Amino acid sequence: MILQALAAYYEKLAEMGKATRPGWCTAKVSYALNLTEKGELQGIIYRKKKEERGKKTVEVAVPITVPEMTTRSSGVSANFLCDNAKYMLGIDKENDEKSRKRAQECFEAAREKHLSILKNAQGKMAMAVKRFFENWNPEKALENPIIRDRLEELTDGGNLIFCMGIQEEAQKDEEIKSIWEKSYLEAESGDQGICLVTGKKGEIARIHRVIKGVPGAQSSGAALVSFNAPAFESYEKSQSYNAPVSKEAEFAYTTALNFLLSDREYSMQIGDTMVVFWAESGRDECRKVFWLSANPPKDNQKEIASLFEDIKEHKYINCDEEILDPKQKFYILGIAPNAARLSVRFFYQDSFGNILNNFSLHYQRMNMVKPSWEQREFLGIWSMLYETVNQKSKDKTPVPNMAAMVLRSIVSGGQYPQSLYLDTLMRIRAEQGEVNWGRASIIKAFLIQNYKWKEGEEYMALNEESKDTAYVLGRLFFALEAVQMEANPDIKATIRDRYFNSACTAPASVFPVLFRLKNSHMKKIERDKGSSKKYYEYLFTDITGKLDDIEFPAQLTLKEQGKFILGYYHQKQKKYEKREEK
């Protein structure tokens, strides 16, 4: 299903001119070897560009369309017109005997391949490339000042291409392009079989091309489909003949997936998972809408609110003055690194409209009163996960696989992973009752969706009529804390720091102690701030009046602990609202 969806997406990309045709691929190129007509190296042209990544500006290799590159797992296998310094120049960063021998073998393989393919070529560019390989001596490479001055850069693992001046690149030369495509089509055919992706008979791909752009995977790329041990073989079929995919389909799905991963604007890394997504129509506007829904930027909050309002009213989806079909299929794929391979964390498909509607319902469940300084209306997926980790830790990566489970639960409208709720509770406890807008929103959404707490929709802000024991106890705890702070304005550690965790899990062991402390605080308030005493007396009378049983419960369940936290947060926000009104 995954390969079929990607192969179909490739066809859309090809129609729009965004994907390379068979025999070609997109590779990231760092430098160009500038040749004379005699094939002599006259300079190195820098091909990297500056790119903003977060707060940093980094230099990255430029993606260029080049002849299809081989999949290398081991051994020596040269590419045509685009490769690293070992193959193009016969040099390596390491200068020991073993490395020099390996680099020499790589260069000889590249020399043989280029001279074989271009043997009948007569054009200026082709002749320059042939002469270069005929005359270049890797053993004397370091004697060349051009190489010696740029040795560290050239051997950093980046790809090199050939050119004659800035504009004339070898892979763009019409004669060379024609020769390469003819050579590609005339390549020796392999085993024939029925393709599992297309259902048609064709040549089966023995090895599938690698996928690049997944953080944490090998820099040279990792395989989505591969077999490399006898344990995976059956019926004497080795490597990818185990799961027959035609070369045509293999090229299509790898090209499509590499295209999606290379587009940083509309791909997301959530935890250890790289998430890519695409629409059946192939339109980028659909990807933009999904990206905005999953990670609403601070400066697009009104736009997102308008989008979800249209979805709620069953209106057409509008993006950049383009009308999008809500009935078309939309695909979401989450992949994570696994040594030399990629693990599929999840794959989900549904209509575009259903996915956006599930996002809308999710944000409705997350709707929560917030501090006046909070500018966000919507808490994106990454921001949700951020609430479950230690804010002071250097590594703020959430638990592996939880990110994928959270995203899947949201887009499918299913239950949130239990770990999201538990980790949020654990983080609140670890920080002695630090309940912020994000954590309160997660708890409310979880209680509604997983515990079927229908009344939760009425708990966006303080519910003064609620008689839910756990919720009322949360309100009561903040009232006790507020009294302490009123009596001791300069206090550095409140009852929250010492008693919150116990009050949230075992109220009977803590509240009697807190009430004795409260009586002392009320006497001090009466002595120093008489007017405030009446307010707090009324507040305590109102809150305790909502408790049906005078006896405090011995323990609170996980569900009740969530309600306790909501009660605490809501009462706290109510106090801040009153201050703002004053």
Side-chain angles (χ1 to χ4, degrees):
M1 184 63 74
I2 297 174
L3 303 190
Q4 289 173 330
L6 286 168
Y9 183 57
Y10 165 78
E11 297 300 330
K12 292 293 183 182
L13 292 174
E15 287 177 12
M16 295 184 287
K18 294 182 178 181
T20 57
R21 56 189 182 278
W24 300 85
C25 70
T26 300
K28 292 184 177 180
V29 175
S30 300
Y31 308 96
L33 304 177
N34 191 11
L35 305 180
T36 65
E37 291 188 21
K38 294 181 180 180
E40 297 172 346
L41 182 64
Q42 62 177 340
I44 305 294
I45 297 178
Y46 194 74
R47 293 305 307 268
K48 291 184 178 181
K49 66 176 181 179
K50 292 183 178 181
E51 187 176 282
E52 298 290 336
R53 290 189 179 175
K55 297 181 179 179
K56 295 182 179 179
T57 300
V58 296
E59 293 184 334
V60 296
V62 178
I64 292 177
T65 300
V66 298
E68 184 180 314
M69 303 178 77
T70 61
T71 300
R72 287 195 290 251
S73 55
S74 61
V76 175
S77 180
N79 292 312
F80 184 59
L81 298 180
C82 179
D83 219 319
N84 59 45
K86 292 179 186 177
Y87 287 90
M88 301 290 264
L89 296 169
I91 59 176
D92 192 9
K93 181 180 293 186
E94 305 297 331
N95 198 29
D96 56 83
E97 184 178 348
K98 184 178 179 180
S99 298
R100 288 197 299 270
K101 183 180 178 181
R102 168 76 176 185
Q104 181 71 36
E105 291 174 356
C106 292
F107 180 77
E108 291 301 330
R111 186 206 302 269
E112 182 181 346
K113 183 163 192 171
H114 283 79
L115 294 180
S116 173
I117 292 175
L118 299 174
K119 61 183 177 181
N120 296 321
Q122 298 296 322
K124 182 176 68 172
M125 179 64 78
M127 291 301 295
V129 174
K130 285 200 294 183
R131 287 166 181 160
F132 171 81
F133 278 105
E134 289 170 349
N135 300 323
W136 183 259
N137 185 356
E139 295 180 359
K140 296 183 179 181
L142 297 183
E143 296 177 11
N144 188 317
I146 297 173
I147 299 297
R148 189 168 58 247
D149 294 343
R150 307 288 291 274
L151 180 62
E152 188 173 344
E153 296 174 76
L154 292 172
T155 56
D156 65 358
N159 287 318
L160 315 177
I161 59 172
F162 292 113
C163 71
M164 293 178 69
I166 298 177
Q167 300 298 326
E168 296 182 64
E169 295 177 351
Q171 77 279 358
K172 294 181 181 179
D173 183 83
E174 290 300 326
E175 180 192 28
I176 293 178
K177 286 168 63 177
S178 177
I179 291 172
W180 164 250
E181 289 175 357
K182 184 178 179 182
S183 172
Y184 179 81
L185 293 172
E186 291 176 352
E188 184 179 353
S189 296
D191 291 0
Q192 300 286 313
I194 301 297
C195 175
L196 295 177
V197 176
T198 64
K200 299 177 182 178
K201 187 174 182 179
E203 183 183 349
I204 302 303
R206 183 178 65 88
I207 297 176
H208 292 211
R209 268 160 288 220
V210 295
I211 307 302
K212 299 181 180 181
V214 178
Q218 291 184 348
S219 57
S220 58
L224 184 63
V225 178
S226 69
F227 302 83
N228 72 334
F232 307 123
E233 296 177 4
S234 57
Y235 299 98
E236 299 183 354
K237 293 184 177 181
S238 61
Q239 295 183 313
S240 293
Y241 294 134
N242 269 295
V245 175
S246 66
K247 282 192 172 182
E248 179 184 358
E250 180 267 337
F251 176 83
Y253 94 78
T254 54
T255 301
L257 186 50
N258 277 317
F259 171 84
L260 289 166
L261 287 166
S262 67
D263 189 354
R264 288 184 170 273
E265 186 176 2
Y266 296 135
S267 58
M268 300 183 296
Q269 184 179 1
I270 305 179
D272 67 338
T273 303
M274 199 68 188
V275 181
V276 293
F277 35 90
W278 66 97
E280 185 179 32
S281 64
R283 298 181 65 175
D284 282 344
E285 290 87 355
C286 297
R287 296 171 67 207
K288 179 181 179 181
V289 169
F290 178 85
W291 183 84
L292 289 172
S293 300
N295 263 326
K298 289 183 179 179
D299 55 351
N300 286 85
Q301 300 285 300
K302 291 184 179 180
E303 182 181 346
I304 300 301
S306 176
L307 169 68
F308 289 140
E309 192 62 34
D310 289 345
I311 294 170
K312 190 176 180 181
E313 296 178 6
H314 304 288
K315 294 182 179 179
Y316 281 104
I317 302 167
N318 189 310
C319 178
D320 297 336
E321 298 183 356
E322 295 287 337
I323 302 299
L324 306 178
D325 181 9
K327 296 181 180 180
Q328 65 178 306
K329 284 185 179 179
F330 196 83
Y331 305 91
I332 309 163
L333 174 64
I335 48 181
N338 182 18
R341 293 172 181 76
L342 298 175
S343 296
V344 176
R345 288 291 195 210
F346 71 92
F347 178 66
Y348 185 76
Q349 68 175 49
D350 199 350
S351 71
F352 189 44
N354 281 346
I355 289 175
L356 294 182
N357 185 57
N358 286 333
F359 264 117
S360 178
L361 294 173
H362 161 70
Y363 286 123
Q364 286 180 37
R365 292 190 292 270
M366 293 278 289
N367 197 12
M368 176 67 64
V369 62
K370 60 183 188 295
S372 58
W373 49 262
E374 179 60 68
Q375 300 299 311
R376 296 173 296 175
E377 292 291 335
F378 304 98
L379 193 71
I381 294 172
W382 178 251
S383 298
M384 286 177 62
L385 298 171
Y386 186 72
E387 296 293 351
T388 67
V389 299
N390 186 352
Q391 311 294 315
K392 297 179 181 179
S393 172
K394 290 183 179 179
D395 182 14
K396 294 183 173 62
T397 305
V399 177
N401 202 28
M402 184 170 72
M405 292 190 294
V406 171
L407 177 59
R408 184 183 180 89
S409 68
I410 292 172
V411 298
S412 65
Q415 292 193 338
Y416 299 104
Q418 193 77 12
S419 56
L420 175 66
Y421 183 64
L422 295 178
D423 285 4
T424 303
L425 293 184
M426 289 172 62
R427 182 46 40 201
I428 292 172
R429 291 171 188 162
E431 296 178 14
Q432 289 79 43
E434 181 59 44
V435 187
N436 57 25
W437 170 61
R439 292 170 182 172
S441 299
I442 293 171
I443 289 171
K444 172 173 170 277
F446 188 92
L447 292 177
I448 293 173
Q449 186 73 347
N450 289 48
Y451 284 110
K452 306 303 178 186
W453 187 36
K454 295 180 180 179
E455 300 83 3
E457 296 175 2
E458 302 172 7
Y459 287 76
M460 184 202 81
L462 180 63
N463 187 336
E464 296 180 325
E465 303 303 317
S466 174
K467 293 186 177 182
D468 187 293
T469 300
Y471 182 81
V472 173
L473 287 176
R475 291 183 60 194
L476 182 58
F477 187 85
F478 179 77
L480 292 167
E481 182 186 10
V483 167
Q484 183 189 36
M485 291 188 292
E486 187 79 34
N488 305 285
D490 299 326
I491 192 170
K492 293 182 179 180
T494 68
I495 60 171
R496 192 198 76 183
D497 301 287
R498 185 175 178 183
Y499 295 107
F500 183 89
N501 292 344
S502 298
C504 185
T505 54
S509 65
V510 173
F511 274 94
V513 176
L514 298 181
F515 266 87
R516 285 196 294 272
L517 290 173
K518 185 263 295 185
N519 293 335
S520 299
H521 297 322
M522 289 293 284
K523 289 180 181 178
K524 186 174 182 181
I525 291 173
E526 182 180 17
R527 186 169 62 250
D528 300 338
K529 305 175 183 179
S531 59
S532 295
K533 181 187 176 185
K534 293 182 180 180
Y535 165 74
Y536 284 111
E537 285 179 341
Y538 172 79
L539 180 62
F540 280 114
T541 301
D542 179 59
I543 294 176
T544 54
K546 301 293 191 300
L547 293 171
D548 295 330
D549 192 351
I550 300 176
E551 296 292 327
F552 295 108
Q555 289 183 325
L556 295 182
T557 64
L558 286 174
K559 178 181 178 181
E560 290 170 335
Q561 289 174 36
K563 292 180 179 179
F564 179 98
I565 291 170
L566 286 181
Y568 175 84
Y569 175 79
H570 284 158
Q571 192 65 50
K572 186 176 182 179
Q573 290 304 310
K574 189 67 175 179
K575 181 176 178 65
Y576 291 151
E577 284 178 13
K578 286 184 176 295
R579 284 183 178 178
E580 288 170 7
E581 288 171 7
K582 290 178 182 179

